[in-house]
Amino acid sequence: MNNRYGELEKQAKLVLAKNNIGASTKPAPRLYPHQWFWDSCFIAIGLAGYDTKKAKTELRSLVGGQWHNGMIPHIVFSDAKGYHYGPEKWRSFSYQQSPDDIQTSCITQPPMLAEAVVRVGSKLNSQERKLWYKEMYPHVIKLHEWLYSERDPYERGLVCLIHPWESGMDNTPSWSELMKKFIPKYASHMEKMKLQPLLSKIRKDTADSKASERPTASELFAFYKLIKKLQVKKFSMNEILATKLPLVEDLAFNAITIRANSLLEQIATEAGQTIPPELVAKFELAQKAFLELSDDRGNWYSRNARTKNLIKEPTNAQFLALYSRAISEDNADSSARQIKDKKWWPKYGVATTPTDSAFFKPKNYWQGPVWVNINWLIADGLKHYGH
Ligand code: DGY
């Protein structure tokens, strides 16, 4: 390793050490002071490179927040104060399915758990790995069972999301249109009157970060409003189905789920477990159904699950189809060609949106910047297809 990367590695390790909150790692010192599902999986993958004990502790803490029905919540709360949408808003203890002693959010995030378990496993000797897989298998399988029993209401093999926070890409353009109707009236009036600075004063998530790098106040208040509506429906798919609340077959989420399904099979084999055939059948259906998220030009999109219309907003999720490993060699080749286009790869890697998108803002959260975790997943997919 040359010195440049040596220094980078040193800094990365320092970030993880500074953000340690005991058994887990917070994604950011003040903005995100708890444990987040997919962040934590990426963190465990990083930790596994130099401290497998810490990596295991990270994932053990995460599955400590798993609900009795199998859902892994997107946030497992610590005692830290000051988060803009904390445990008092979610009230997880009011749901029988939530863990008895840990407060959590009531929605999920991309199921990176199987990947993290396997990456940690790859750093262990075969005996330790077997034990590790035996320990983690019940958690991973419960999660996948929940994804298909609760979140595939149309039994198509595609998991539905109920809130943009579940995508992990909060203000991704794929959700923007659907979220417009949740923008509170006062917020849209104030925006029309160019009173954004005033609106920004009432938000609590920008004390330590620039508002210009975060979702807009209107987007943020729409996120909150949708949570409140979901709370009335107890976050239950049965109840949500009977409403007009958004249901999205999110592209990135489903790509990650499909990859995780096959990693779960790998974990099961090494742990000496058999995945129930009904679930294996779902995995097979999922592989095929995933192909419906592509248009006839080979581009990939999320889909509105209620209308079955593709949401044709180009985002970096397009290249996560490679990570799923579910697409054809031809399609993988054309994706690999597209990545080289400057509009997707302006300078340092794949941007969140192409530079010719109406949404593109180079420093705004999930509407422009290059995210290293997504690029890592894309690289993994490219490598798989021989690129
Ligand atoms: C936030 O609070 O901004 C988070 O991204 C929600 O998960």
Side-chain angles (χ1 to χ4, degrees), residues 28-257:
R30 284 170 297 273
L31 179 60
Y32 293 130
H34 307 282
Q35 182 173 28
W36 262 258
F37 180 1
W38 80 327
D39 300 76
S40 201
C41 293
F42 287 112
I43 285 162
I45 292 167
L47 288 172
Y50 60 100
D51 191 338
T52 50
K53 206 164 147 218
K54 276 213 181 96
K56 286 180 177 176
T57 305
E58 181 80 35
L59 295 179
R60 284 184 180 126
S61 161
L62 180 67
V63 301
Q66 185 164 30
W67 283 35
H68 303 307
N69 59 6
M71 179 179 82
I72 299 209
H74 96 299
I75 311 173
V76 177
F77 288 112
S78 66
D79 295 333
K81 303 277 172 273
Y83 173 56
H84 69 105
Y85 212 82
E88 68 293 345
K89 300 255 179 16
W90 293 96
R91 299 191 305 272
S92 62
F93 286 161
S94 56
Y95 303 94
Q96 270 185 350
Q97 296 290 347
S98 78
D100 310 325
D101 47 358
I102 300 174
Q103 302 200 76
T104 73
S105 67
C106 307
I107 56 173
T108 193
Q109 243 183 1
M112 283 297 303
L113 182 61
E115 178 80 80
V117 167
V118 168
R119 295 280 173 166
V120 175
S122 72
K123 304 287 178 191
L124 305 172
N125 68 37
S126 65
Q127 211 180 349
E128 283 173 336
R129 182 162 58 247
K130 198 167 182 177
L131 286 176
W132 170 240
Y133 284 177
K134 278 195 166 158
E135 177 186 342
M136 284 293 136
Y137 175 76
H139 297 288
V140 188
I141 188 148
K142 254 184 115 177
L143 169 65
H144 286 240
E145 279 172 340
W146 175 81
L147 286 169
Y148 288 107
S149 62
E150 170 73 9
R151 289 304 187 81
D152 180 16
Y154 304 107
E155 300 193 18
R156 292 181 192 144
L158 291 169
V159 174
C160 289
L161 302 192
I162 58 177
H163 192 283
W165 279 349
E166 292 198 311
S167 73
M169 306 185 182
D170 306 8
N171 64 345
T172 171
S174 322
W175 277 81
S176 290
E177 191 57 40
L178 285 168
M179 289 305 288
K180 277 191 183 149
K181 65 173 178 212
F182 298 102
I183 299 176
K185 290 231 159 46
Y186 67 85
S188 38
H189 285 323
M190 284 171 78
E191 271 200 356
K192 264 185 216 134
M193 291 163 74
K194 303 251 176 298
L195 292 173
Q196 279 99 336
L198 206 59
L199 203 52
S200 282
K201 286 218 165 85
I202 49 177
R203 65 192 294 185
K204 298 216 161 60
D205 64 321
T206 44
D208 299 296
S209 52
K210 291 184 187 151
S212 61
E213 296 181 5
R214 298 278 300 153
T216 63
S218 294
E219 282 168 339
L220 187 75
F221 298 141
F223 296 152
Y224 295 165
K225 191 162 166 188
L226 178 53
I227 294 287
K228 295 217 172 83
K229 297 213 175 266
L230 291 166
Q231 239 153 2
V232 175
K233 302 294 161 198
K234 305 185 201 67
F235 298 97
S236 148
M237 183 55 83
N238 262 343
E239 296 205 25
I240 296 167
L241 261 186
T243 66
K244 290 192 173 145
L245 296 176
L247 284 179
V248 172
E249 290 159 348
D250 185 271
L251 173 60
F253 196 106
N254 278 284
I256 290 170
T257 305

Side-chain angles (χ1 to χ4, degrees), residues 276-288:
E278 314 81 73
L279 192 57
V280 175
K282 296 271 181 200
F283 294 175
E284 283 159 12
L285 180 65
Q287 290 262 355
K288 289 194 200 106

